[in-house]
Amino acid sequence: MAFVKVVKNKAYFKRYQVKSKRRRQGKTDFYARHALIHQDKNKYNTPKYRLIVRITNKDIVCQIAYARIEGDYIIASAYAHELPRYGVKLGLTNYAAAYCTGLLLARRTLQKHKLDSIYKGTTDVTGGQFENEAVVGEKRPFRCYLDVGLARTTTGAKVFGALKGAVDGGLDIPHSTRRFPGYSQESKKFNADVHRQHIFGLHVANYMTALKEENSDLYAKQFSRFVKAGIEPTSFEALYKAAHAAIRADPSLSPKKTDAPKPKRYIIFL
Amino acid sequence: MVKLQRIQRPKTQRGKRALKEREPKLIENARSSLCIRGNKTNNIMKILLKDLHLLKSPYSKMYQKKNPDIFPFENTSKLEWYCQKSDCSLLAYVTHSKKRPNNLVLARLHNHIVMDMFEFELNRQTFRSLDDFKCVKFAPGNKPCLIFHGELFDSEAEYKRLKCFFTDFFRGETNMKEIDLNGLEHVITFTLDIQTKLLTIRVFHIELKKSGHRIPRIELNEIGPHLDLTIRRTKLASDDFYKKTLKQPDAIKAKKVKNVSTNELGTKMGRIHMEKQDFNQLQTRKMKGLKRNLPTDDDQTQEKRKKIDQTNKE
């Protein structure tokens, strides 16, 4: 029997250098992070802001952050679980909710930086290409870059819904229509109307009506909460339009409810 | 026994790019520092090492484990090997022992050979780390402004080299032509007291406030590690080695273009030096009328002239 050298011996483990914590957890892609954070040294004045969009199973997180050596600082954040305040009670992780969250974050940030009256974005949602151009004589628009994290950037992904919401809200984010729903890879053409349907949740509404006719049991099971809340597929567009208007009217954070602190009881064992 | 080191040939494109990054280049990358612990360190020195690592943020690598059998002033081969492995050309090595408490060794390497090495003792009482200053610091990768106070930095040879060393250590990226003033976010000051030979390092954040006119009013807030160092031992590179490190390849040197100058108005003027010309043999535009042997008026042309005169009269 040949003698094989044990590679993972005691010396190996003694000297093994683990990767950084976030890499071990598989949560940060440092190659992408480096590109998002580090400025070209001959044009570094404004901090590089990034629009962080993370979609979990039940929530959508949108934040705007900038990096410092001691850690990242968050300027503003918006969550999909805040949307019930604006009238969107169900479907909090769909494309329409992502759009609303992005819009909410944009209005909140601009309000914070006192740019909200100058850069209004667009209230007429067509789903087409829209860019916030600098208003002459005023401050420049708030520029940030999309950070998708480890999400797969396929055409029609929800992260781009949040991006579109933020852009329509007034932020300056470089992007193209290539990854919005409605872009066809074969004909290389972008159909803005399809994107508009996704923004108002009409793709879900169409499925609801189709499923209702086809198989009412399955419909009752899949959309049970919608049935319970009494939300009809025809009301989607009006619902989201009202939500957009409500978000623009008051994007500020609702104050946290702080209950009266319960008096602490110390149990001392003698 | 001689260790055989196989030449590694990259198997993937990514590996190939990584190796290319480490190759010597005409314009080198920013100097990376390797932050490494010795066999025995105390908590203060670990915090100091972490602070030095953060100050140089993306251009710094930190080794987590302790490394025995490293005596920098006797044998630098192990340190040089670690620097070669992680492609670093600066070194921060930290130990604590009874003989040399709170010891910090800073070194720089040229071609993975130790050039200058300075050993400091940190004053434990006056040390304050980055965490002790609760304020916003600077963006990672920013270049600092370096200020050296003290006449010793200009007069004595050892301290001149120390100044050069610190500039090299904290400089960051060098491959750029201009810097945006707004982007200079922090200042590192080095003060060397003549009597006590105490080196104090402070890091400040620059704040530009409104003043009446175009030039903003500057305020400094202390942010970073607050260090008081005493120099223990030094090992400077020999003059020959130092001269070798200053050599620059010919390709970098700015090429002088002869006979081209720009005057005050911005016009580019050139000089042409002509060789001797024989004016009889010059090549010029050929005009028929100036030909030496002109054809005289013969019958054909006279008739042509008559015809032309007739048509003109009509």
Side-chain angles (χ1 to χ4, degrees):
Chain A
M1 199 192 103
F3 284 108
V4 181
K5 181 179 178 178
V6 179
V7 174
K8 287 184 156 183
N9 51 17
K10 192 173 175 188
Y12 170 89
F13 286 113
K14 269 196 154 181
R15 289 216 54 81
Y16 185 77
Q17 170 105 353
V18 292
K19 294 189 162 60
S20 67
K21 183 176 82 170
R22 290 288 288 191
R23 175 64 192 87
R24 273 179 275 138
Q25 292 169 340
K27 287 185 180 174
T28 307
D29 172 8
F30 280 98
Y31 191 76
R33 186 184 156 86
H34 183 95
L36 278 166
I37 284 170
H38 292 107
Q39 278 274 35
D40 245 352
K41 285 300 155 262
N42 51 356
K43 46 173 148 102
Y44 58 177
N45 48 356
T46 46
K48 248 184 166 177
Y49 295 105
R50 42 193 250 273
L51 171 71
I52 302 169
V53 181
R54 300 286 183 268
I55 299 180
T56 67
N57 283 338
K58 292 184 190 168
D59 200 1
I60 301 176
V61 184
C62 287
Q63 295 172 319
I64 295 199
Y66 62 94
R68 288 287 174 267
I69 52 168
E70 62 272 20
D72 287 1
Y73 287 88
I74 307 287
I75 298 176
S77 64
Y79 296 83
H81 63 68
E82 295 178 43
L83 291 179
R85 186 177 145 206
Y86 300 101
V88 178
K89 297 205 198 311
L90 291 171
L92 293 178
T93 55
N94 62 22
Y95 196 93
Y99 181 90
C100 291
T101 316
L103 177 66
L104 177 59
L105 177 67
R107 295 316 295 168
R108 207 169 265 176
T109 328
L110 291 175
Q111 192 182 57
K112 208 170 192 180
H113 286 258
K114 302 200 178 52
L115 292 168
D116 53 350
S117 47
I118 310 170
Y119 295 103
K120 291 203 172 43
T122 159
T123 41
D124 175 31
V125 181
T126 56
Q129 175 85 11
F130 176 77
E131 271 169 40
N132 284 295
E133 265 144 50
V135 173
V136 178
E138 302 273 5
K139 287 196 238 181
R140 280 180 300 155
F142 190 95
R143 190 177 179 90
C144 52
Y145 305 93
L146 181 67
D147 177 0
V148 293
L150 292 159
R152 192 81 188 88
T153 53
T154 49
T155 314
K158 285 182 272 187
V159 285
F160 300 111
L163 167 71
K164 184 64 177 157
V167 168
D168 283 355
L171 296 184
D172 178 18
I173 309 173
H175 66 287
S176 85
T177 55
R178 194 163 65 105
R179 289 302 181 193
F180 288 145
Y183 181 82
S184 132
Q185 195 73 331
E186 300 95 51
S187 66
K188 305 269 187 262
K189 278 208 184 66
F190 176 57
N191 184 353
D193 194 49
V194 174
H195 192 202
R196 189 186 175 283
Q197 292 203 347
H198 272 74
I199 290 174
F200 285 107
L202 299 177
H203 62 300
V204 179
N206 292 339
Y207 179 60
M208 274 175 87
T209 45
L211 193 61
K212 207 180 198 176
E213 282 167 28
E214 201 184 293
N215 187 345
S216 62
D217 293 332
L218 201 59
Y219 169 77
K221 190 172 165 212
Q222 179 81 12
F223 294 103
S224 62
R225 283 166 138 209
F226 281 87
V227 170
K228 199 164 153 195
I231 298 177
E232 287 294 308
T234 46
S235 64
F236 269 44
E237 182 150 353
L239 187 95
Y240 284 110
K241 267 210 173 113
H244 298 162
I247 289 172
R248 280 176 184 276
D250 181 24
S252 55
L253 269 170
S254 65
K256 271 195 199 160
K257 283 191 222 146
T258 47
D259 301 318
K262 272 202 269 184
K264 257 192 168 173
R265 294 179 64 217
Y266 294 97
I267 302 170
I268 302 168
F269 290 97
L270 288 166
Chain B
M1 203 178 97
V2 177
K3 259 191 189 172
L4 278 174
Q5 276 193 345
R6 282 209 200 109
I7 303 167
Q8 287 178 315
R9 295 210 189 284
K11 287 178 195 159
T12 56
Q13 282 296 326
R14 192 171 180 208
K16 191 172 161 191
R17 270 181 267 137
L19 275 180
K20 211 170 183 184
E21 186 74 13
R22 296 185 177 207
E23 263 179 8
K25 299 176 185 152
L26 272 181
I27 301 169
E28 296 278 358
N29 299 339
R31 275 182 179 252
S32 251
S33 67
L34 179 67
C35 296
I36 195 169
R37 281 179 55 193
N39 201 14
K40 196 166 169 242
T41 32
N42 58 7
N43 199 30
I44 298 274
M45 296 316 284
K46 279 195 228 174
I47 294 170
L48 170 66
L49 194 66
K50 188 71 196 274
D51 284 352
L52 284 175
H53 171 72
L54 283 178
L55 270 185
K56 287 203 41 101
S57 196
Y59 304 115
S60 179
K61 277 204 179 67
M62 178 106 149
Y63 274 13
Q64 310 287 359
K65 305 256 171 127
K66 54 186 179 181
N67 303 281
D69 300 333
I70 294 185
F71 301 100
F73 284 84
E74 273 110 63
N75 182 11
T76 55
S77 55
K78 235 185 178 177
L79 288 173
E80 285 166 5
W81 166 235
Y82 291 149
C83 287
Q84 190 166 18
K85 238 177 59 146
S86 37
D87 194 32
C88 294
S89 52
L90 297 166
L91 194 62
Y93 173 72
V94 143
T95 39
H96 173 77
S97 65
K98 211 160 178 190
K99 189 174 177 192
R100 290 180 224 282
N102 306 319
N103 200 25
L104 167 72
V105 175
L106 295 176
R108 66 177 162 171
L109 295 92
H110 174 81
N111 204 15
H112 303 298
I113 301 171
V114 166
M115 210 172 103
D116 292 331
M117 200 149 49
F118 297 91
E119 189 180 48
F120 303 99
E121 178 188 352
L122 173 74
N123 187 341
R124 199 201 161 101
Q125 266 72 39
T126 57
F127 173 61
R128 284 157 72 193
S129 79
L130 275 174
D131 291 328
D132 293 332
F133 296 94
K134 314 272 182 222
C135 53
V136 181
K137 306 195 174 95
F138 53 93
N142 267 6
K143 278 172 76 80
C145 216
L146 299 169
I147 300 180
F148 293 88
H149 293 301
E151 296 155 349
L152 281 176
F153 277 126
D154 298 319
S155 51
E156 276 187 44
E158 191 181 302
Y159 296 110
K160 268 197 219 172
R161 194 69 80 82
L162 184 66
K163 177 178 177 182
C164 176
F165 172 79
F166 274 126
T167 318
D168 217 359
F169 198 90
F170 289 106
R171 196 164 41 162
E173 182 72 60
T174 49
N175 181 19
M176 67 192 79
K177 290 183 199 151
E178 301 166 323
I179 293 181
D180 197 325
L181 248 185
N182 286 333
L184 275 179
E185 275 191 279
H186 63 295
V187 178
I188 307 182
T189 57
F190 303 87
T191 317
L192 193 58
D193 193 21
I194 294 185
Q195 277 97 30
T196 58
K197 301 277 169 70
L198 186 75
L199 176 71
T200 56
I201 301 180
R202 306 276 178 268
V203 185
F204 299 94
H205 181 248
I206 301 173
E207 270 167 56
L208 304 169
K209 298 267 166 85
K210 273 190 205 171
S211 66
H213 37 276
R214 244 184 85 205
I215 300 170
R217 182 170 59 93
I218 296 177
E219 264 190 30
L220 295 178
N221 287 340
E222 193 167 4
I223 48 158
H226 181 108
L227 310 174
D228 286 337
L229 303 171
T230 337
I231 302 176
R232 274 193 180 131
R233 293 183 284 182
T234 59
K235 184 175 167 199
L236 304 178
S238 62
D239 282 330
D240 308 326
F241 188 26
Y242 194 68
K243 273 200 187 136
K244 209 168 82 169
T245 62
L246 294 174
K247 254 170 109 177
Q248 281 190 319
D250 284 330
I252 271 189
K253 289 187 195 147
K255 291 200 173 67
K256 263 192 190 170
V257 185
K258 283 186 172 176
N259 298 320
V260 173
S261 61
T262 338
N263 73 356
E264 287 99 11
L265 296 170
T267 335
K268 204 172 175 185
M269 316 282 274
R271 296 186 82 179
I272 306 173
H273 300 271
M274 292 304 297
E275 56 201 22
K276 192 143 190 209
Q277 293 171 314
D278 180 14
F279 295 110
N280 296 324
Q281 304 290 338
L282 271 183
Q283 175 98 311
T284 52
R285 248 172 63 198
K286 292 179 173 58
M287 291 188 231
K288 210 170 177 181
L290 298 175
K291 258 193 176 174
R292 296 236 173 151
N293 304 322
L294 264 179
T296 50
D297 269 343
D298 52 21
D299 297 310
Q300 267 193 336
T301 51
Q302 269 188 346
E303 276 180 34
K304 270 191 192 168
R305 283 229 174 102
K306 273 188 187 165
K307 269 192 185 168
I308 289 166
D309 286 336
Q310 274 180 349
T311 49
N312 277 346
K313 272 186 193 165
E314 288 159 27

